[in-house]
Amino acid sequence: MKSLPEVKAALPEYVGVNAQVLQDVAKRLDKAYKSFFRRVKAGQKAGYPRFRGRDRYDSFTYPQPSQSSVSGDGKHVYLPKIGNVRIKLHRPFAGKLKTLAVKREGAEWYAVLTCELPRTEPLPATASQVGIDVGTTWFFVTSDGEFCENHKLFQASSKKLRVVQRALSRKPKKNGNRHKKAKARVAKLYRKTARQRLQVHHEEAKKLVIKHDLICHEDLNVKGMAQGNLGKQIHDVAWGQFFQILSGKAAWAGRRVVAVDPRLTSQRCHVCGHTERGNRASQANFRCLSCGHTENADVNAAKNILAQGLRFVAQRISLEIACHEKPRPLGLLRPERV
Ligand SMILES: [Zn+2]
């Protein structure tokens, strides 16, 4: 950041860019390298930070925007060094404006405002606890025997996505105009499906958080993301997003989310504890070879996940009492792991 004046002297085009925007670029670079070294240290797949040319660099941030950046009538946003830009305000915003980012998505531009709001009151306790088992047939199945379906809305656009993707692969000239247009169509549809998925995740997470004090789900990190086919990996990424949203909403509402080791949860009988691969009579049905208990296989797994989560919470609470620990802060975004 200190060398920015030198950069500006050598490259006069940088003078036209807002100073805080330039500083934010340096902060982003620092963050990329810090994350890289953290991953190296943790022995994870590291991925060295790559140079981003102008086609890949899609946003810039004003870290300390003026509180009056958006005009009173909501029709313009003021961007220092650029000026007033016409906007379509999608929803009213409240609280203290913390950052203002300008983002490009294909041919669309967005102004992204982050605001600080006072913490809301936690939701009243419901004395209800639930385990959820995510899968491919159903989005998730709960220990109460509720089945949340994979939304049709999303499936319809997935089908469209396959069509445009096929069209793209038929355009032979890699840098031709038709190829470029087909690529833009794929990207646009991809963004649409991602937005739809995000909306569904928010809605479903909200329903769970309203209903239950404790929500237990499987820990995807234990499951091993790299194994299996590509389709499953994509699903894992989607579930990762869902669990993250769930944890965030739970923290706001004063709820508890626990991520449990999912191993053997699909093979164990939740009634007698007998664990054997043969218990799973088919993909959908569970029949215990020891006690004869029969149930939907996913509901049985969800009940095991809940039981494991409850054991952890009981231990954790007795530990908190024994150590005179203060209750955990509500702002904890990461689920507890067991
Ligand atoms: Zn049994």
Side-chain angles (χ1 to χ4, degrees):
M1 280 194 229
K2 263 186 204 158
S3 59
L4 278 174
E6 282 170 54
V7 173
K8 278 184 190 170
L11 304 161
E13 64 266 32
Y14 278 64
V15 177
V17 183
N18 178 271
Q20 290 198 341
V21 168
L22 286 178
Q23 286 175 4
D24 183 68
V25 175
K27 276 186 211 152
R28 285 190 193 188
L29 191 64
D30 184 52
K31 198 178 158 198
Y33 273 95
K34 273 190 181 140
S35 310
F36 168 69
F37 288 119
R38 178 183 47 75
R39 289 192 300 267
V40 169
K41 238 183 183 172
Q44 292 165 338
K45 220 175 131 194
Y48 193 75
R50 280 182 297 178
F51 174 73
R52 285 178 179 248
R54 62 170 188 189
D55 291 334
R56 282 168 192 269
Y57 203 89
D58 291 325
S59 74
F60 59 90
T61 304
Y62 293 98
Q64 288 162 351
S66 147
Q67 291 305 308
S68 53
S69 291
V70 177
S71 64
D73 57 3
K75 285 186 174 161
H76 293 90
V77 63
Y78 177 70
L79 306 174
K81 288 264 186 182
I82 295 173
N84 277 314
V85 179
R86 211 148 51 86
I87 54 163
K88 207 184 266 173
L89 196 64
H90 288 98
R91 65 178 89 170
F93 70 97
K96 187 169 182 276
L97 192 54
K98 298 295 278 185
T99 66
L100 165 57
V102 176
K103 195 168 119 189
R104 169 179 65 185
E105 284 190 356
E108 299 142 25
W109 290 83
Y110 295 90
V112 184
L113 310 164
T114 53
C115 303
E116 192 176 74
L117 291 166
R119 182 170 288 291
T120 50
E121 285 293 306
L123 289 177
T126 61
S128 168
Q129 296 130 350
V130 77
I132 61 172
D133 180 58
V134 293
T136 34
T137 323
W138 299 93
F139 179 48
F140 63 76
V141 174
T142 75
S143 51
D144 297 337
E146 266 181 74
F147 294 77
C148 174
E149 62 178 343
N150 275 313
H151 284 252
K152 289 198 180 77
L153 182 83
F154 175 54
Q155 282 169 357
S157 42
S158 299
K159 204 185 248 171
K160 263 188 232 160
L161 190 61
R162 276 201 298 277
V163 174
V164 290
Q165 239 152 7
R166 219 175 298 141
L168 172 65
S169 65
R170 278 199 300 265
K171 304 283 182 285
K173 270 189 262 170
K174 192 102 200 275
N175 290 318
N177 223 352
R178 283 159 183 265
H179 186 272
K180 222 188 262 173
K181 276 186 185 162
K183 207 170 145 186
R185 267 197 293 276
V186 170
K188 191 173 176 182
L189 204 54
Y190 185 77
R191 286 198 299 274
K192 188 186 166 91
T193 57
R195 278 198 297 268
Q196 286 177 327
R197 196 186 302 123
L198 186 68
Q199 186 184 347
V200 167
H201 286 180
H202 271 283
E203 286 168 358
E204 294 303 334
K206 187 177 176 183
K207 283 187 211 163
L208 286 172
V209 164
I210 286 175
K211 263 196 243 167
H212 309 286
D213 288 347
L214 171 72
I215 303 157
C216 308
H217 64 73
E218 58 209 273
D219 189 345
L220 291 178
N221 289 3
V222 178
K223 219 172 176 183
M225 297 264 286
Q227 64 174 357
N229 57 34
L230 189 71
K232 217 194 114 301
Q233 278 179 41
I234 291 165
H235 270 288
D236 275 1
V237 170
W239 289 322
Q241 176 185 279
F242 176 64
F243 292 153
Q244 216 173 355
I245 290 169
L246 187 65
S247 298
K249 285 193 194 301
W252 270 94
R255 306 297 205 213
R256 208 157 190 169
V257 173
V258 175
V260 307
D261 184 344
R263 275 173 292 192
L264 303 177
T265 47
S266 60
Q267 297 173 24
R268 192 185 310 129
C269 168
H270 93 91
V271 174
C272 73
H274 178 69
T275 306
E276 190 180 334
R277 183 166 289 180
N279 282 348
R280 190 141 189 180
S282 69
Q283 185 60 32
N285 298 312
F286 186 92
R287 192 192 306 119
C288 179
L289 293 175
S290 173
C291 77
H293 172 68
T294 57
E295 194 163 32
N296 174 286
D298 295 325
V299 175
N300 178 69
K303 283 180 177 171
N304 282 327
I305 288 169
L306 173 61
Q308 220 159 303
L310 282 172
R311 268 199 299 280
F312 169 74
V313 171
Q315 274 172 12
R316 171 85 210 189
I317 288 173
S318 58
L319 197 77
E320 278 166 9
I321 294 168
C323 305
H324 304 290
E325 254 186 59
K326 281 188 203 137
R328 292 169 326 113
L330 287 177
L332 192 74
L333 281 180
R334 296 184 71 79
E336 299 170 277
R337 296 185 192 289
V338 52

